[in-house]
Amino acid sequence: MSRLDNSPNLFKSTIDKIKAFFRQEKWKEAMIFLFFVFLSACLWYLQSLQQEYEIEIEIPIKYKNVPADMILTENNPNTVIAKVRDKGTVLLNYSWLRTFAPIEVNMKDATPENNQTTVITRRIIESNISKQLISTTSLVSFEPQTIQVDYTELQSKELPVQLDIDITMKPGFQLVDSIKSVPDKIVVHASNAILDSLFALTTVHKEIKDVSKTQEITIRLKDIKGARMEPNQVTVIIPVEEFTEKRFILPVICTDVPDNYTLRIFQSAIEVVCNIPMSRFKDLSEDEFEIQIPFREFEENQSAGELMIRLTKKPEWISEPILNPNLIEFIIEQKNNQ
């Protein structure tokens, strides 16, 4: 018989041995003893929690309303260590369950000490701690008892904003105007050494994909160590609209042709293709375009017999229209005097 055939019997035999072990009298007595030991420990622990103890709690410090023309130095304290006394049950709540709100150091309430230091008094710190304690808790002590806030006075400078953005449009959509930053200049507060090295402020890199309508996006400015910006973000306006083609046929006009010459242009009608916003399709007419070339340009290119042409008149809001063709052939003939 194989080992697999015996496996159910082996398993049942093992279970029976385990059951027999737990049915032994000694095991029952041991379990009862351990239960009472555990119960005694719980009662002792609960009794001890009724006594008073002292513990230290750590409360963070938050500096707010810092004037724009100053920056705090790195050696200012970040926490206050408070020693408190109460029953163990209350202190257990402080240690495990309760979170303390930061002590807010309002720089408007700071007491000036000298040109680059302000002091937060003991009374302000004690008031911040006490209002977070349960009424039965005694505040024994806290450190530091006063907060000396060191800072550096800053100078200011207005700098232009540079946008670091990549934009891709949905097919058929284009920009109808330049991308704008609002505001386009930002006041920066920093030391003279830092300000002298700054010429512009750059936004964080942003990729904007599949744009199919005008968008306004808030983008944060890159942080500059030791400097503060007001504001620290800008609104980027991306004017986008659906575009379409509009075509016109324009004549090539030559001015100032001398009476004794004849100019023959072999393609005197040129197709102009414009890519324009849908909203302005009806506003655009061929009267707003013109191809007018002076005779002297034909003379200058007479040996080649070809001339690159261009639009000499178009609306300012039309960019890069296509001329088809943009190169024409011509002949200049001199008339016979009779």
Side-chain angles (χ1 to χ4, degrees):
M1 184 178 295
S2 66
R3 183 175 298 179
L4 291 175
D5 295 334
N6 290 330
S7 58
N9 294 331
L10 291 172
F11 178 76
K12 184 178 180 182
S13 175
T14 303
I15 294 297
D16 291 340
K17 289 179 181 179
I18 293 173
K19 289 181 178 179
F21 174 77
F22 283 108
R23 291 194 188 103
Q24 293 179 11
E25 191 67 27
K26 290 182 179 181
W27 172 251
K28 293 181 180 179
E29 292 175 357
M31 288 294 293
I32 294 171
F33 173 76
L34 291 174
F35 171 76
F36 281 105
V37 169
F38 175 74
L39 183 60
S40 299
C42 291
L43 293 173
W44 173 84
Y45 182 69
L46 292 173
Q47 182 64 30
S48 65
L49 289 178
Q50 300 306 311
Q51 301 178 22
E52 288 195 345
Y53 298 93
E54 290 183 2
I55 64 168
E56 290 184 346
I57 55 178
E58 189 175 280
I59 305 174
I61 298 173
K62 179 182 178 181
Y63 299 92
K64 69 175 187 177
N65 294 327
V66 179
D69 60 351
M70 72 166 62
I71 188 168
L72 303 182
T73 60
E74 295 181 355
N75 59 346
N76 292 307
N78 295 316
T79 58
V80 169
I81 305 300
K83 183 180 287 187
V84 296
R85 180 189 297 117
D86 207 330
K87 290 183 178 181
T89 51
V90 177
L91 299 181
L92 195 64
N93 177 51
Y94 290 143
S95 299
W96 288 2
L97 304 176
R98 194 178 183 87
T99 57
F100 286 86
I103 295 175
E104 293 188 343
V105 177
N106 192 338
M107 297 303 292
K108 290 182 179 179
D109 300 333
T111 305
E113 188 174 82
N114 56 50
N115 288 337
Q116 291 187 321
T117 304
T118 58
V119 175
I120 308 302
T121 64
R122 173 189 173 91
R123 181 181 60 82
I124 294 175
I125 301 173
E126 185 175 2
S127 174
N128 272 271
I129 298 173
S130 298
K131 68 183 180 182
Q132 298 193 66
L133 299 177
I134 298 173
S135 58
T136 59
T137 304
S138 300
L139 178 60
V140 178
S141 63
F142 56 88
E143 290 292 338
Q145 296 194 359
T146 60
I147 299 175
Q148 180 174 298
V149 185
D150 296 324
Y151 62 89
T152 301
E153 291 185 348
L154 305 176
Q155 304 300 315
S156 62
K157 182 179 180 180
E158 190 175 56
L159 294 172
V161 175
Q162 290 183 347
L163 302 177
D164 183 10
I165 56 177
D166 289 332
I167 302 173
T168 57
M169 309 287 179
K170 280 189 175 181
F173 293 84
Q174 294 182 24
L175 291 171
V176 292
D177 201 350
S178 58
I179 299 173
K180 296 179 181 178
S181 167
V182 180
D184 59 355
K185 293 182 178 179
I186 299 288
V187 175
V188 183
H189 300 278
S191 64
N192 284 327
I194 293 176
L195 291 179
D196 289 343
S197 66
L198 297 177
F199 302 97
L201 301 175
T202 307
T203 62
V204 297
H205 182 71
K206 182 79 172 179
E207 292 186 0
I208 308 167
K209 298 180 179 180
D210 296 330
V211 181
S212 60
K213 62 180 180 180
T214 296
Q215 294 191 16
E216 294 187 9
I217 301 173
T218 300
I219 304 180
R220 186 172 56 83
L221 297 169
K222 287 183 178 178
D223 294 330
I224 301 172
K225 188 175 181 180
R228 181 180 293 115
M229 292 162 279
E230 289 187 331
N232 64 352
Q233 60 186 24
V234 295
T235 299
V236 178
I237 301 174
I238 307 170
V240 175
E241 194 173 325
E242 188 174 4
F243 272 59
T244 188
E245 282 188 354
K246 193 164 188 176
R247 299 170 181 262
F248 304 101
I249 301 296
L250 297 180
V252 178
I253 301 172
C254 180
T255 58
D256 306 324
V257 179
D259 293 338
N260 59 331
Y261 284 97
T262 299
L263 175 65
R264 300 186 186 280
I265 300 174
F266 294 104
Q267 185 158 344
S268 58
I270 304 298
E271 183 184 46
V272 180
V273 182
C274 302
N275 203 20
I276 61 173
M278 290 283 289
S279 61
R280 306 193 71 170
F281 187 84
K282 294 181 179 180
D283 300 336
L284 190 65
S285 67
E286 63 184 33
D287 296 336
E288 299 178 79
F289 297 87
E290 191 174 78
I291 302 174
Q292 190 175 100
I293 302 173
F295 181 74
R296 60 177 175 78
E297 292 190 23
F298 288 96
E299 284 186 304
E300 292 170 356
N301 293 273
Q302 184 174 1
S303 60
E306 294 179 335
L307 180 65
M308 189 76 69
I309 60 172
R310 66 192 181 279
L311 286 171
T312 53
K313 176 186 173 184
K314 73 175 184 67
E316 292 183 357
W317 57 274
I318 296 292
S319 62
E320 300 181 359
I322 298 172
L323 301 182
N324 185 27
N326 62 352
L327 185 69
I328 59 172
E329 296 179 348
F330 67 92
I331 294 176
I332 297 176
E333 298 177 344
Q334 190 172 5
K335 296 178 181 179
N336 294 324
N337 293 325
Q338 297 180 352

